Amino acid sequence: MPALACHAPADPMLTHKTCRPPLFVLAAVLAATACARGPDPLGRMIELNRQAIALYELRKYDDAKARLTEAVVTGKEGGLGRDNMMARTYLNLGSVHIATGDRDEGVQQMTLGLRLRSDVPLTPQLASPAVKRAYAAARIEARKKAKEPAAALQPIARAKPADKSPTAPPPTAPPRSVPASPPEPAAPSEPELPATFASVLACPTPDEAAPNTDLLIRCALKPGLKASRVTVHYRAPGSEAFIELPMTRSPKGWYLATIP
């Protein structure tokens, strides 16, 4: 049975040399169906960005926003949340917001893109003077956020001791000793499986993760497909070798693996 692998290639909309992201995650499924049978989320993102640029040049800004928002959703549902194309999409979406006068939202979208990839430039067709000024502000904001420490862990909840009131009447008889029942294990909290699938695998990975913590990867296989094995492959910064981790299936149907 052939191995089915989906990965994130270089940003096809950039012409200068790019660097690899610090963490590259590759999900592979051994299945009988090839990738070509399902829609290509990366290709769809590229096409939506091209449509948005054409609409922007026609001053149809709302339609351009809709295309770019759809591109963001397509990328996240297709496991491309940290792909180069996702950074490009955020910058394009921010540029359209700037064109409509919503500078705050525009800078916020650009900051998201620059946090994914700090060297992604503006799309030339969208680079008006106002967009260039917002882009400079977003670069400063992205650098600030990169230096922020990870959020502190929440304190462990502790049971409040019972109120020992001196006026409480003493018990009339000693309480009978009753053996405590063992606590029932808590049910694992899992999201529902995706309603739609942009590709063979849906891996809604988080956009951000705290440093020095394990990263849980959760993937769902498109209904109707059967896989004999699902694995996740990752590599550390500066490393060319991938490390393979098997994914285990949860009761709800998710495939889970934890990257240390």
Side-chain angles (χ1 to χ4, degrees):
M1 186 175 295
L4 175 63
C6 303
H7 59 88
D11 185 347
M13 297 189 71
L14 299 182
T15 58
H16 69 289
K17 187 177 180 180
T18 60
C19 299
R20 288 173 177 163
L23 179 64
F24 185 95
V25 177
L26 171 68
V29 182
L30 295 182
T33 306
C35 279
R37 291 189 59 184
D40 174 20
L42 180 58
R44 179 60 178 163
M45 288 181 70
I46 295 171
E47 177 59 27
L48 288 169
N49 273 266
R50 288 175 177 166
Q51 293 177 13
I53 293 171
L55 291 167
Y56 175 92
E57 293 176 330
L58 295 174
R59 300 181 181 273
K60 296 182 178 181
Y61 300 130
D62 289 340
D63 292 336
K65 285 180 188 177
R67 298 296 196 284
L68 293 168
T69 301
E70 182 182 348
V72 170
V73 174
T74 299
K76 289 186 176 183
E77 291 182 349
L80 302 176
R82 303 192 69 83
D83 190 80
N84 295 341
M85 196 61 209
M86 184 64 76
R88 164 67 55 195
T89 302
Y90 279 132
L91 254 69
N92 289 345
L93 182 56
S95 300
V96 177
H97 278 287
I98 297 298
T100 60
D102 193 353
R103 186 179 186 277
D104 291 342
E105 181 64 22
V107 172
Q108 181 178 351
Q109 294 295 331
M110 288 184 176
T111 302
L112 290 173
L114 291 170
R115 293 194 70 184
L116 288 176
R117 182 172 164 204
S118 61
D119 61 346
V120 58
L122 290 169
T123 299
Q125 297 94 315
L126 311 182
S128 67
V131 168
K132 290 179 180 179
R133 290 192 294 270
Y135 177 78
R139 289 184 69 89
I140 296 173
E141 188 66 21
R143 286 195 292 267
K144 287 181 181 179
K145 290 185 177 295
K147 296 178 181 179
E148 291 178 358
L153 296 176
Q154 296 294 328
I156 299 175
R158 299 183 183 276
K160 183 179 179 181
D163 183 16
K164 297 180 179 180
S165 174
T167 60
T172 56
R176 186 170 53 184
S177 176
V178 178
S181 301
E184 295 184 0
S189 177
E190 273 196 301
E192 297 296 328
L193 293 175
T196 59
F197 286 74
S199 62
V200 175
L201 273 180
C203 300
T205 55
D207 290 336
E208 298 179 351
N212 301 321
T213 58
D214 295 343
L215 176 63
L216 175 64
I217 302 296
R218 180 183 284 112
C219 296
L221 187 62
K222 188 174 183 179
L225 299 180
K226 293 183 179 180
S228 60
R229 187 165 61 96
V230 181
T231 61
V232 63
H233 299 249
Y234 71 95
R235 65 184 177 194
S239 174
E240 294 294 333
F242 286 94
I243 301 173
E244 178 180 334
L245 291 177
M247 303 188 83
T248 58
R249 190 174 186 185
S250 70
K252 190 168 285 189
W254 288 100
Y255 288 91
L256 308 175
T258 300
I259 297 179

